[in-house]
Amino acid sequence: MMKIHLVLPLLGLLSLSCAHTDFFTSIGHMTDLLNTERDLVASLKDYIKEEELKLAQIRKWADKLDHLTDTATKDPEGFLGHPVNAFKLMKRLNTEWVQLENLVLKDISDGFISNLTIQRQYFPNDEDQTGAAKALIRLQDTYNLDTDTISKGNLPGVKHKTSLTAEDCFDLGKIAYTEADYYHTELWMEQALRQLDEGEESSVDKVMVLDYLSYTVYQQGDLDKALMLTKRLLQLDPEHQRGNGNLRYFEYIMSKESNKSSSSLSEGEEVRTRKGRPKDHLPERQKYEKLCRGEGVKMTPRRQKRLFCRYYNCNRDPLFILSPTKQEDEWDKPRIVRYHDIISHEEISKVKELAKPRLRRATVHDPQTGKLTTAQYRVSKSAWLSAYEDPVVARLNNRIERVTGLDMSTAEELQVANYGMGGQYEPHFDFARKDEPDAFKELGTGNRVATWLFYMSDVEAGGATVFPEVGAAVYPKKGTAVFWYNLFESGEGDYSTRHAACPVLVGNKWVSNKWIHERGQEFRRPCNLSELE
């Protein structure tokens, strides 16, 4: 029997570059791109003006000659009988048409092309585009958004509503396809097809979309739908080679399955099982994403009654006796407290000003090597600020020490992070577990005993800090900070502090954090003999 093979669509759009600049991970760097594009548009407009001026000159010449030749050709002999007309004809054809030729051939695009070439070195590459697409898909999953909502730009809190074209949706589908993510490929190809069916004009045609879509649904086990889509493709393009090959293949598979169905399957049993979202490494994915959406928060009214707001003088610190800080209980176990108006707008501006030039892709500690490395589960850009660099940084470090009562001399530098498009930090521990004994060995300051987190911006939608183990969610509020202990007084890790930074859905999230270490806290937070206290 002749074997029939399935022919899959091939991709030519993504030749991924090796240099990865991660533009999409920081709003600050994407702002620079926006300014670059604005400058290029201004340069393009200058070029258009020069082209229009050139065309105006050519049009003026053409209009003049049109009138002249129209008059001359009605009575050629009479016209040329005038010696001046005869001379001017010789002159025009010998010199003036050459001048016009030079004008037409004159390339005035050099300035624009030169500017574009210079700026292109700062452009995002294929990998950045892929990263931005994955970020959009991440938001789609985390916040349960359908493709139509995203395509129409109907997101909460948006100031500048914009929509996706059918071509945009098609490109998102193709990027998912390169990752063998057929679940999202189907969703975005269907959205592209829907917009084309509604009459949207596009450089993408239905045949291209149906080509990907039919293979994608086949990969997910829906052979009936794959066959239906392939037949629709062939109605539009009967000579489509891959479509005809796939039609024969699908019909062959269906005939084989129908022969087996009566003997191998009981009544009502499905021949195929459709796949859903791709599985990933995160066991608490569902719990984490529900908290990001504001669902599954486990604060009961009874527990809520035990949470208070108070004016706190930081253990009678002289600075805070006259001007106590505003402290609010966010959660009971683990105890998470928020301090209001703890960092001023001026201090925030200075910290961002210092950090922006050095923002780099955020890193995490590799538990195997103890060194810093980038990771897909942390998508943001960060910079580290030392106290000696600016009085504002030193002042913030001093304030954290006085409020917490903990020694900052062994703490890590102030880390400033900017979460861009879909920016997140998936569930993680700030402290090193027992199976990671070398995580902070190079620092020589022990484990991370506590975390202090400044919120330096409001976020229109998304961006919460969530604790999946206990069902807690803390939302960004500019000028505030939250604080919690990662270790019990015994030095054992508090596993309930596993937390995450939810993806930013709309807006721009700036935070800065201080990881406080064990060394130096021996008398400030004495050890307790009880393991879990």
Side-chain angles (χ1 to χ4, degrees), residues 17-276:
S17 167
C18 294
H20 188 192
T21 44
D22 294 320
F23 282 110
F24 68 96
T25 60
S26 168
I27 292 291
H29 284 166
M30 285 196 285
T31 301
D32 294 338
L33 290 179
L34 208 55
N35 291 331
T36 296
E37 189 171 46
R38 180 196 60 194
D39 294 341
L40 284 174
V41 170
S43 178
L44 179 61
K45 285 183 175 179
D46 290 340
Y47 163 66
I48 291 171
K49 285 180 182 177
E50 291 181 39
E51 286 285 12
E52 286 174 341
L53 182 62
K54 171 182 165 181
L55 286 172
Q57 290 177 274
I58 295 170
R59 185 177 292 110
K60 183 178 179 182
W61 173 266
D63 290 343
K64 182 181 76 172
L65 286 184
D66 183 48
H67 175 73
L68 183 65
T69 54
D70 184 59
T71 303
T73 53
K74 288 178 180 176
D75 181 14
E77 293 184 3
F79 182 82
L80 292 173
H82 196 303
V84 172
N85 286 338
F87 166 74
K88 292 186 73 174
L89 176 62
M90 297 300 105
K91 178 175 177 290
R92 280 198 306 275
L93 291 173
N94 184 50
T95 59
E96 293 182 16
W97 273 98
V98 174
Q99 292 171 359
L100 180 64
E101 180 184 12
N102 291 335
L103 177 61
V104 171
L105 292 174
K106 183 181 178 183
D107 186 359
I108 57 177
S109 66
D110 288 350
F112 171 69
I113 295 300
S114 175
N115 190 18
L116 183 61
T117 302
I118 292 170
Q119 297 290 358
R120 189 178 285 119
Q121 63 183 311
Y122 305 112
F123 280 13
N125 56 26
D126 288 338
E127 198 166 347
D128 285 303
Q129 183 180 339
T130 301
K134 288 181 178 178
L136 201 55
I137 289 171
R138 186 184 309 129
L139 294 174
Q140 174 186 358
D141 290 341
T142 303
Y143 296 103
N144 268 351
L145 302 171
D146 60 66
T147 53
D148 194 59
T149 297
I150 297 174
S151 182
K152 291 179 179 175
N154 295 326
L155 303 178
V158 292
K159 295 177 182 176
H160 308 284
K161 186 176 177 180
T162 189
S163 58
L164 295 173
T165 64
E167 184 180 357
D168 294 331
C169 297
F170 179 68
D171 286 341
L172 281 166
K174 285 200 289 187
I175 288 171
Y177 181 88
T178 61
E179 301 289 319
D181 177 2
Y182 300 117
Y183 170 77
H184 290 106
T185 304
E186 179 181 0
L187 293 177
W188 285 105
M189 289 299 176
E190 283 186 336
Q191 181 63 31
L193 186 61
R194 203 158 34 241
Q195 291 181 205
L196 291 173
D197 285 341
E198 290 170 358
E200 180 181 319
E201 292 186 8
S202 175
S203 59
V204 173
D205 60 41
K206 294 180 185 180
V207 170
M208 295 168 65
V209 177
L210 288 164
D211 191 13
Y212 280 98
L213 188 54
S214 59
Y215 178 75
T216 296
V217 297
Y218 164 75
Q219 282 290 344
Q220 294 199 99
D222 195 342
L223 191 53
D224 293 326
K225 186 174 179 181
L227 184 63
M228 179 269 290
L229 291 168
T230 303
K231 287 179 178 178
R232 183 179 173 188
L233 182 158
L234 292 171
Q235 286 177 348
L236 297 171
D237 183 2
E239 303 302 317
H240 196 280
Q241 186 176 358
R242 187 163 47 244
N244 279 298
N246 289 347
L247 178 65
R248 290 192 296 272
Y249 178 79
F250 294 151
E251 289 175 339
Y252 168 71
I253 293 296
M254 288 191 79
S255 66
K256 284 182 66 177
E257 288 190 354
S258 63
N259 292 334
K260 290 181 180 179
S261 62
S262 57
S263 58
S264 61
L265 294 174
S266 59
E267 186 177 351
E269 188 177 350
E270 291 291 332
V271 177
R272 291 168 297 276
T273 303
R274 287 183 59 77
K275 297 178 183 178

Side-chain angles (χ1 to χ4, degrees), residues 319-372:
L319 181 67
F320 292 99
I321 288 177
L322 293 176
S323 180
T325 184
K326 289 177 271 188
Q327 187 188 70
E328 177 188 1
D329 295 331
E330 285 281 354
W331 206 258
D332 50 358
K333 290 184 179 181
R335 186 168 187 242
I336 305 168
V337 293
R338 186 193 295 263
Y339 295 94
H340 292 266
D341 303 321
I342 198 69
I343 181 171
S344 68
H345 293 304
E346 292 74 22
E347 288 170 330
I348 289 171
S349 297
K350 187 62 181 179
V351 169
K352 288 166 68 173
E353 177 190 324
L354 292 169
K356 278 181 179 179
R358 343 178 189 168
L359 286 174
R360 298 292 182 272
R361 178 70 184 264
T363 56
V364 297
H365 271 280
D366 186 323
Q368 305 300 321
T369 64
K371 297 182 179 180
L372 294 172

Side-chain angles (χ1 to χ4, degrees), residues 342-520:
I342 198 69
I343 181 171
S344 68
H345 293 304
E346 292 74 22
E347 288 170 330
I348 289 171
S349 297
K350 187 62 181 179
V351 169
K352 288 166 68 173
E353 177 190 324
L354 292 169
K356 278 181 179 179
R358 343 178 189 168
L359 286 174
R360 298 292 182 272
R361 178 70 184 264
T363 56
V364 297
H365 271 280
D366 186 323
Q368 305 300 321
T369 64
K371 297 182 179 180
L372 294 172
T373 182
T374 59
Q376 286 303 311
Y377 59 83
R378 188 179 191 188
V379 183
S380 64
K381 286 197 172 176
S382 64
W384 299 84
L385 303 180
S386 300
Y388 64 81
E389 295 182 59
D390 194 276
V392 167
V393 181
R395 187 162 69 242
L396 291 175
N397 287 347
N398 179 260
R399 189 176 305 154
I400 297 170
E401 179 164 340
R402 299 180 84 151
V403 171
T404 63
L406 298 175
D407 187 355
M408 292 298 115
S409 64
T410 58
E412 295 175 48
E413 294 177 339
L414 187 70
Q415 182 182 217
V416 183
N418 180 214
Y419 292 83
M421 180 183 180
Q424 65 166 2
Y425 193 173
E426 289 182 355
H428 63 281
F429 298 103
D430 281 350
F431 65 92
R433 273 75 65 214
K434 289 181 178 179
D435 59 347
E436 306 171 313
D438 297 332
F440 305 114
K441 186 177 181 180
E442 289 185 357
L443 298 177
T445 53
N447 212 340
R448 288 173 175 167
V449 67
T451 297
W452 177 281
L453 179 65
F454 283 117
Y455 290 116
M456 302 198 301
S457 66
D458 294 312
V459 179
E460 284 81 354
T465 305
V466 298
F467 295 73
E469 294 296 314
V470 295
V474 179
Y475 296 93
K477 183 179 179 184
K478 188 177 181 179
T480 70
V482 291
F483 172 78
W484 66 86
Y485 282 104
N486 297 305
L487 306 180
F488 293 113
E489 289 180 0
S490 63
E492 292 294 322
D494 184 351
Y495 284 78
S496 67
T497 62
R498 184 170 170 84
H499 61 285
C502 295
V504 176
L505 178 57
V506 177
N508 182 14
K509 182 182 176 183
W510 283 89
V511 298
S512 56
N513 65 278
K514 196 79 173 171
W515 280 313
I516 306 165
H517 283 248
E518 290 178 291
R519 299 292 180 265

